[in-house]
Amino acid sequence: MEYRGVFTIGQKENFRYNYFVSQKRSLMSCLIVFVLILLLNAFLRYSYGMTQSLVSGLLYSLPMAVGGAALLLLIHLLNMYLRLRGLYRQKKLEPFTQDILMNREGLHAASARGNVDLPWKNIALVRELKRDFLLFITESHVYVLPKEQMKNPAEDTEKIRRILHKYMDAQRLKLKG
């Protein structure tokens, strides 16, 4: 059993990968900002007699806390998008095409950057997202297989899952199916 696919990795795929990698840190930052705004604003309103109780101060501060957290998330996403867009415009990053072959020996990738033959034991983690498969070799070395670029996304996705289940340790797989 094997799978072969050709994928072009560009700004859109790079953004999705970067968002996935920074998602936990970003959401944790938003949660901290939410709690700080909520508690500090409620405490100050109650301390200065602007509300009758701390609970009413919390309720009054809730929209501001949600807005602050949402604004921080928006700023993070915009910053990431602009940074990646700038790198592509400056030609520090360029789209590239990779030819992927998955078979019983492992993952074989070929691109203009070179060829790589990785046995299954060298792949640290495989994560399936809504739009992509991410095959982590290290934290910063990842192969992205965009589902939208597959010839037949439903069939190919299932085929990739079967190959991964057959040849990789289940503890290193985070698949949807």
Side-chain angles (χ1 to χ4, degrees), residues 105-129:
E105 283 87 33
L107 173 73
H108 311 283
S111 71
R113 298 176 180 181
N115 299 334
V116 176
D117 292 320
L118 291 164
W120 291 114
K121 65 179 181 171
N122 289 3
I123 298 175
L125 175 70
V126 177
R127 185 74 189 252
E128 182 181 358
L129 305 176

Side-chain angles (χ1 to χ4, degrees), residues 51-177:
T51 58
Q52 297 291 351
S53 68
L54 193 55
V55 173
S56 63
L58 286 170
L59 291 174
Y60 188 85
S61 302
L62 193 60
M64 189 181 303
V66 169
L71 181 62
L72 181 64
L73 182 61
L74 182 64
I75 289 170
H76 171 72
L77 292 173
L78 186 62
N79 182 42
M80 187 185 332
Y81 172 76
L82 292 175
R83 181 178 50 84
L84 282 171
R85 187 170 158 215
L87 290 171
Y88 275 93
R89 281 192 175 178
Q90 295 168 7
K91 302 288 186 199
K92 291 182 180 178
L93 285 178
E94 292 186 5
F96 65 94
T97 300
Q98 61 185 10
D99 186 2
I100 299 290
L101 172 64
M102 299 168 87
N103 59 23
R104 65 186 178 111
E105 283 87 33
L107 173 73
H108 311 283
S111 71
R113 298 176 180 181
N115 299 334
V116 176
D117 292 320
L118 291 164
W120 291 114
K121 65 179 181 171
N122 289 3
I123 298 175
L125 175 70
V126 177
R127 185 74 189 252
E128 182 181 358
L129 305 176
K130 181 179 178 182
R131 295 181 175 170
D132 305 298
F133 281 98
L134 302 177
L135 288 81
F136 288 84
I137 311 311
T138 65
E139 278 189 37
S140 60
H141 186 180
V142 177
Y143 287 94
V144 178
L145 309 180
K147 292 178 182 178
E148 64 196 21
Q149 293 182 29
M150 294 176 179
K151 290 178 184 173
N152 187 338
E155 281 181 26
D156 291 351
T157 296
E158 191 55 42
K159 190 174 196 178
I160 290 171
R161 286 183 192 138
R162 283 195 314 269
I163 291 170
L164 293 170
H165 279 297
K166 184 173 183 176
Y167 297 116
M168 284 193 65
D169 181 19
Q171 295 174 345
R172 295 184 291 150
L173 297 176
K174 305 275 190 234
L175 304 177
K176 294 194 179 284

